[in-house]
Amino acid sequence: MQATTDFKLDSWVEIPANSDFPIYNLPLGIIKHKNGTISATTAIGQYVLDLSVLHRLAYFKEIALPVGIFEKTSLNDFMALGKPVWKLVRQRLMVLLTRDNPELRDNKDVVVQSLFKSSDVEMLMPVQVGDYTDFYSSKEHATNIGLMIRDPKNALLPNWLHLPVAYHGRASSIIVSGHDFHRPKGQVTPPGINEPSFSPSKAMDFELEMAFVIGKSTTLGQSVPTSKADDYIFGMTLFNDWSARDIQRWEYVPLGPFLAKNFASTISPWIISTEALEPFRIKAPEQNPEVLPYLERSREDCSFDITLEVWLQAENSEAMKICTSNYKYLYWTMDQQLAHHTINGCNINIGDLMASGTISGPTPDSFGSMMELTWNGSKPIILPNGQERKFLQDGDTVIIKGYCQKDNIRIGFGEAKAKVLPTL
Amino acid sequence: MQATTDFKLDSWVEIPANSDFPIYNLPLGIIKHKNGTISATTAIGQYVLDLSVLHRLAYFKEIALPVGIFEKTSLNDFMALGKPVWKLVRQRLMVLLTRDNPELRDNKDVVVQSLFKSSDVEMLMPVQVGDYTDFYSSKEHATNIGLMIRDPKNALLPNWLHLPVAYHGRASSIIVSGHDFHRPKGQVTPPGINEPSFSPSKAMDFELEMAFVIGKSTTLGQSVPTSKADDYIFGMTLFNDWSARDIQRWEYVPLGPFLAKNFASTISPWIISTEALEPFRIKAPEQNPEVLPYLERSREDCSFDITLEVWLQAENSEAMKICTSNYKYLYWTMDQQLAHHTINGCNINIGDLMASGTISGPTPDSFGSMMELTWNGSKPIILPNGQERKFLQDGDTVIIKGYCQKDNIRIGFGEAKAKVLPTL
């Protein structure tokens, strides 16, 4: 059921060229209908298919699914059914949507009840996030930040090549794409000054990230080896770890970022299964020095070739692509991140979110934050309307997009989009 | 209904001298009966009173309480009913337990159904923690750590006196008192060495803390001023932020502690209401330099006089008190912590936990961690069995206790107790 070059699967639902959501993708998300009902769905072309309707009408009768499993406000209970069930549901959706299968296609009543234009529904948070962890796994990003704010001769700190550095983030303020937020205020200092003033942040930034969702829990004391990490990963999303650099600079010693990050983080609404991503596996960067045995990668091709883009749209201006990066640049891979996170016995729960950290590539146009793109404000970005940007202004919208492409098959992630509103 | 010197309230339930749980306390917790049923309870002397039974039998009929509200696995839904309801339930329990009131006392059938020996029930986690934040609010502790591991001339970092430093912790690994845990393993380095080895932690420590529980939510963008903080605080617990110092030393730059802390944190099972603590209000330490206006304290007596003790019990040895401290030493108070946490618009949810950071006092016997008590291992503690301790050994149990005392009235917190088991 995976994308290959030999065989091309089509759907009876019309799918525009370059759609993020061909029949090979079938991501899962939570929608709210105009009448207020909430249900789990998949995306197909410019439509969403309501799984709760299909389930009520026995389209999943061959799979042991609890009553009402697709009527929840998150995918957590569905994830708890386990990977074999995730796969069966995905396979069944693929069969139901295949061009030649009349089962759903010719049942016009059911199609009317279950297939909706994407523009007619509201996307909600796909999962209830328990704990959210943010890694710092791009060598290029960590090096750039080190060059700018620490000792340029020792841009990477001594631990960085030995372990995937991470910190705990705030789960409550993760918001789904399309929800704008207010610029944070707080204590800021100019660089080098140790007397704070109170102000809206003057150095609002985005961070281009991806995240994976935990679909299987562990108990306290248990560790997940890299070779088993796949069993625990439900799928992936786009992620924007909004950052207020001037708040961060002042507050972050010695315990890490806090108010500089926890005012908002934006997640894309569709979770792309690791199955859909299988054809896009790729080698991750070589690691030197050698890692400790518990961090040895599970396989050769343990990363994914996912093109990532950041678009900036000021008010009264066209959107402009300001960054093109790729997930494959990450030095630390998901299996390593998960093995590290649990090596001390830390338990993980269904719905936990693990973000990658800013994904910067090797070239200046692939840097994943304003701070890097403008080199700490020294090289402003010129927008289509002629304005300059060192950091984000009120009214600026940042849109993160991502997709895999191979042999005319494209698996897209949709987008993680939000606008910076003025401070409340 | 508060403790005063003028009037002493007694209960028809026998309460031993020096009990943590007189009729003035009435903390809330979640118990599991031997038959597996779970319910919300209060503690009175050496007994627990099952609120679900009383509710079913209409003992709360004057209060608008939902059916089954005391049959949940956490207090979160009860907290959501709001502060006026918390107060009414507390008042009603005080009336029901008063010596002269026959209402429950003389209804032997109901007493048998609802009053249980504490030793006959299991205490569960009292709340479902959404996000957990750990502050770093003891000046003595931050100074001690700075003296030991950073520049002794600048022990406090420049931001410390201007804001209550904090970081996000891991909610999933918070465990209730009585649950032991395994020593974490991971990457450790000797001081000054930048080449990690893989090992069980050799520098296991406790941190004497308290925590407060959020009982009222905010929405993203909203800030809680110090003057309104009380409305959001449901109550307080004891807290042990277990720490692996050798893991921490290597991993914590630049994003803060991660695996050094997230393997386990121990919470005491009873939540003491801020109402019960009212008579023990006290001034907090003066602050110099002056804080920014959003951090101005809400009132003169915005701290609490809570004696805190740490007991260490090695296997085959008596328990030994190794620390006596007090909550009142904290430089940053709860209203300031909450105002700071939300000043940037970060939203808080019912069930969030905000821990104080290690509570060290001014004298060496009041330091709240092994690292400080033994001054980084240079002054070992001698146990009753003659053994030395620089850090914790496998089999060591740490017990944190806390109580307020005034005019023969004692409000206790119970204990937060757990044993360090060998690495799995």
Side-chain angles (χ1 to χ4, degrees):
Chain A
M1 306 297 280
Q2 289 165 6
T4 69
T5 51
D6 304 329
F7 175 73
K8 187 107 172 15
L9 207 59
D10 276 322
S11 177
W12 49 266
V13 179
E14 191 199 328
I15 296 172
N18 274 325
S19 169
D20 276 353
F21 306 116
I23 193 167
Y24 297 107
N25 192 342
L26 303 178
L28 293 181
I30 299 288
I31 60 164
K32 187 171 167 186
H33 290 283
K34 283 180 174 161
N35 67 7
T37 58
I38 286 171
S39 49
T41 60
T42 190
I44 181 84
Q46 293 171 300
Y47 292 84
V48 298
L49 182 64
D50 186 324
L51 308 193
S52 73
V53 174
L54 298 183
H55 186 25
R56 278 198 299 274
L57 297 175
Y59 280 87
F60 296 111
K61 65 177 182 293
E62 308 295 328
I63 310 171
L65 292 175
V67 173
I69 191 71
F70 295 127
E71 295 165 29
K72 313 275 182 168
T73 56
S74 79
L75 293 168
N76 291 42
D77 288 349
F78 173 71
M79 290 192 281
L81 301 177
K83 194 156 194 163
V85 174
W86 315 339
K87 286 192 177 190
L88 288 172
V89 167
R90 182 175 148 74
Q91 279 169 16
R92 177 67 178 140
L93 289 172
M94 211 174 268
V95 168
L96 283 173
L97 287 164
T98 301
R99 179 181 294 280
D100 297 336
N101 184 353
E103 209 177 341
L104 177 58
R105 182 192 71 196
D106 293 352
N107 200 335
K108 299 298 176 198
D109 278 1
V110 179
V111 170
V112 166
Q113 286 176 63
S114 62
L115 197 68
F116 300 86
K117 279 191 187 160
S118 303
S119 53
D120 282 349
V121 299
E122 182 189 349
M123 299 303 305
L124 303 183
M125 278 288 292
V127 295
Q128 189 184 350
V129 180
D131 280 295
Y132 150 50
T133 297
D134 196 20
F135 285 87
Y136 187 57
S137 289
S138 157
K139 188 174 172 184
E140 290 80 0
H141 171 68
T143 304
N144 287 340
I145 297 296
L147 284 173
M148 277 185 271
I149 71 166
R150 282 184 289 267
D151 175 10
K153 285 180 197 150
N154 298 291
L156 279 187
L157 288 167
N159 58 16
W160 201 93
L161 293 169
H162 294 279
L163 55 82
V165 170
Y167 66 100
H168 297 118
R170 180 89 191 167
S172 72
S173 52
I174 299 173
I175 52 180
V176 74
S177 180
H179 287 258
D180 303 332
F181 65 90
H182 295 275
R183 176 182 298 267
K185 54 183 183 294
Q187 294 195 23
V188 298
T189 51
I193 303 294
N194 282 335
E195 190 65 34
S197 60
F198 185 81
S199 161
S201 169
K202 293 167 186 146
M204 263 299 295
D205 204 349
F206 66 86
E207 291 195 327
L208 164 62
E209 304 198 9
M210 294 194 72
F212 64 93
V213 176
I214 296 297
K216 180 179 177 181
S217 300
T218 63
T219 55
L220 202 66
Q222 191 185 344
S223 301
V224 177
T226 54
S227 61
K228 297 285 182 201
D230 273 358
D231 297 347
Y232 292 82
I233 300 174
F234 180 69
M236 294 180 74
T237 67
L238 305 170
F239 197 75
N240 186 343
D241 178 30
W242 301 97
S243 298
R245 301 296 178 195
D246 44 0
I247 294 176
Q248 187 171 356
R249 186 165 48 223
W250 172 235
E251 74 169 1
Y252 92 106
V253 283
L255 301 180
F258 182 58
L259 299 188
K261 304 266 193 181
N262 68 13
F263 55 91
S265 313
T266 298
I267 189 174
S268 57
W270 295 108
I271 304 181
I272 315 301
S273 69
T274 46
E275 268 202 292
L277 297 173
E278 270 303 315
F280 307 99
R281 281 194 172 274
I282 195 170
K283 280 180 75 166
E286 302 231 338
Q287 295 189 305
N288 183 14
E290 228 174 84
V291 297
L292 284 165
Y294 82 94
L295 287 173
E296 277 168 18
R297 290 173 178 161
S298 55
R299 50 193 289 172
E300 271 281 294
D301 51 351
C302 63
S303 192
F304 294 97
D305 183 1
I306 306 170
T307 301
L308 297 166
E309 298 175 351
V310 183
W311 294 70
L312 173 57
Q313 179 163 29
E315 282 181 341
N316 308 313
S317 184
E318 288 166 61
M320 173 188 178
K321 184 160 70 172
I322 58 172
C323 163
T324 304
S325 186
N326 196 303
Y327 184 81
K328 71 182 177 188
Y329 295 135
L330 287 176
Y331 188 86
W332 295 103
T333 53
M334 286 190 277
D335 54 345
Q336 294 180 312
Q337 291 169 341
L338 197 50
H340 184 64
H341 201 316
T342 58
I343 188 63
N344 67 343
C346 177
N347 58 329
I348 54 173
N349 286 318
I350 289 168
D352 287 351
L353 202 70
M354 311 264 170
S356 58
T358 308
I359 306 171
S360 293
T363 56
D365 62 347
S366 66
F367 294 168
S369 65
M370 291 295 280
M371 185 159 172
E372 293 165 271
L373 289 166
T374 71
W375 210 253
N376 211 7
S378 65
K379 299 176 189 171
I381 291 171
I382 311 297
L383 300 180
N385 66 2
Q387 289 182 356
E388 279 194 358
R389 284 292 181 278
K390 295 176 177 176
F391 288 99
L392 299 172
Q393 299 297 314
D394 292 345
D396 285 356
T397 298
V398 175
I399 308 147
I400 295 178
K401 301 180 185 186
Y403 61 91
C404 307
Q405 181 108 34
K406 197 180 193 178
D407 308 323
N408 279 331
I409 289 177
R410 175 188 163 107
I411 300 281
F413 282 77
E415 60 184 29
K417 171 180 176 174
K419 186 194 286 191
V420 182
L421 303 174
T423 297
L424 268 184
Chain B
M1 306 300 279
Q2 289 164 7
T4 70
T5 52
D6 305 329
F7 175 73
K8 187 111 171 13
L9 207 59
D10 275 323
S11 176
W12 49 265
V13 179
E14 190 198 329
I15 297 173
N18 273 327
S19 170
D20 276 352
F21 306 116
I23 192 167
Y24 297 107
N25 192 342
L26 302 179
L28 293 181
I30 300 289
I31 60 163
K32 186 171 168 183
H33 290 283
K34 283 181 174 160
N35 68 6
T37 59
I38 287 171
S39 49
T41 60
T42 189
I44 181 84
Q46 294 171 298
Y47 293 84
V48 299
L49 183 63
D50 186 323
L51 307 193
S52 73
V53 174
L54 299 183
H55 186 27
R56 278 197 298 274
L57 297 174
Y59 280 87
F60 296 111
K61 66 176 181 295
E62 308 294 328
I63 309 171
L65 292 175
V67 172
I69 190 69
F70 295 127
E71 296 165 30
K72 313 275 182 169
T73 55
S74 79
L75 294 167
N76 291 42
D77 288 349
F78 173 70
M79 292 193 280
L81 301 177
K83 194 156 192 163
V85 174
W86 315 339
K87 287 191 177 191
L88 287 172
V89 167
R90 182 175 148 75
Q91 279 169 17
R92 179 65 179 143
L93 288 171
M94 211 174 269
V95 168
L96 283 174
L97 287 165
T98 301
R99 178 181 296 281
D100 297 336
N101 183 355
E103 209 176 341
L104 177 58
R105 182 193 70 197
D106 293 352
N107 199 334
K108 299 297 176 200
D109 277 1
V110 179
V111 170
V112 165
Q113 286 176 64
S114 62
L115 196 69
F116 300 87
K117 280 192 186 159
S118 303
S119 53
D120 282 347
V121 299
E122 181 189 350
M123 299 303 305
L124 303 183
M125 278 288 293
V127 294
Q128 189 185 348
V129 180
D131 279 295
Y132 149 51
T133 298
D134 197 21
F135 285 88
Y136 186 59
S137 288
S138 157
K139 189 174 171 184
E140 291 80 0
H141 171 68
T143 304
N144 287 340
I145 298 295
L147 285 172
M148 277 185 270
I149 71 166
R150 282 184 289 268
D151 174 10
K153 285 181 196 150
N154 299 291
L156 279 187
L157 288 167
N159 58 16
W160 201 93
L161 293 169
H162 294 279
L163 54 82
V165 171
Y167 66 100
H168 296 119
R170 180 88 191 168
S172 72
S173 53
I174 299 174
I175 51 180
V176 74
S177 179
H179 287 258
D180 304 331
F181 65 92
H182 296 275
R183 176 182 298 267
K185 54 184 182 293
Q187 294 194 23
V188 299
T189 51
I193 303 294
N194 283 334
E195 190 64 37
S197 60
F198 186 80
S199 161
S201 170
K202 292 168 187 146
M204 262 299 296
D205 204 347
F206 67 86
E207 291 195 328
L208 164 62
E209 304 198 10
M210 294 194 71
F212 63 96
V213 176
I214 297 297
K216 181 180 175 180
S217 299
T218 63
T219 55
L220 202 66
Q222 191 184 344
S223 301
V224 177
T226 54
S227 61
K228 297 287 181 200
D230 272 359
D231 297 346
Y232 292 82
I233 299 173
F234 181 69
M236 294 180 73
T237 68
L238 305 171
F239 196 76
N240 186 344
D241 177 30
W242 302 97
S243 298
R245 301 295 178 196
D246 44 0
I247 294 175
Q248 186 171 356
R249 184 166 49 223
W250 172 236
E251 73 170 1
Y252 91 107
V253 283
L255 301 180
F258 182 57
L259 299 188
K261 303 267 193 180
N262 68 12
F263 56 89
S265 313
T266 299
I267 190 174
S268 57
W270 295 109
I271 304 181
I272 316 301
S273 69
T274 46
E275 268 201 292
L277 297 173
E278 270 303 315
F280 307 97
R281 281 193 172 275
I282 195 170
K283 281 179 75 167
E286 303 232 338
Q287 295 189 307
N288 185 12
E290 230 175 84
V291 296
L292 284 166
Y294 82 93
L295 286 173
E296 277 168 18
R297 290 172 178 160
S298 54
R299 49 194 289 173
E300 270 281 294
D301 50 352
C302 62
S303 192
F304 294 97
D305 183 3
I306 307 170
T307 300
L308 297 166
E309 299 175 352
V310 183
W311 294 69
L312 173 57
Q313 179 163 28
E315 281 182 342
N316 308 314
S317 182
E318 287 167 63
M320 173 188 179
K321 185 160 71 172
I322 58 172
C323 163
T324 305
S325 186
N326 196 302
Y327 185 80
K328 72 182 177 188
Y329 295 136
L330 287 177
Y331 188 85
W332 295 102
T333 53
M334 286 189 278
D335 54 346
Q336 294 179 311
Q337 291 170 341
L338 197 50
H340 184 66
H341 202 315
T342 58
I343 189 62
N344 67 342
C346 177
N347 58 328
I348 54 172
N349 286 319
I350 289 168
D352 287 352
L353 203 70
M354 310 264 170
S356 58
T358 308
I359 306 171
S360 293
T363 56
D365 62 348
S366 65
F367 294 167
S369 65
M370 291 295 280
M371 185 158 171
E372 294 165 271
L373 289 166
T374 70
W375 210 254
N376 210 8
S378 65
K379 298 177 190 171
I381 292 171
I382 312 297
L383 299 181
N385 65 4
Q387 289 182 355
E388 279 194 357
R389 284 292 181 277
K390 296 176 176 176
F391 287 98
L392 299 171
Q393 299 297 315
D394 291 345
D396 285 356
T397 298
V398 174
I399 307 149
I400 295 178
K401 302 179 183 184
Y403 62 91
C404 308
Q405 182 108 34
K406 196 180 192 178
D407 308 323
N408 279 331
I409 289 178
R410 175 188 163 107
I411 301 281
F413 283 77
E415 60 184 29
K417 170 180 176 174
K419 185 194 286 192
V420 182
L421 303 175
T423 298
L424 267 183

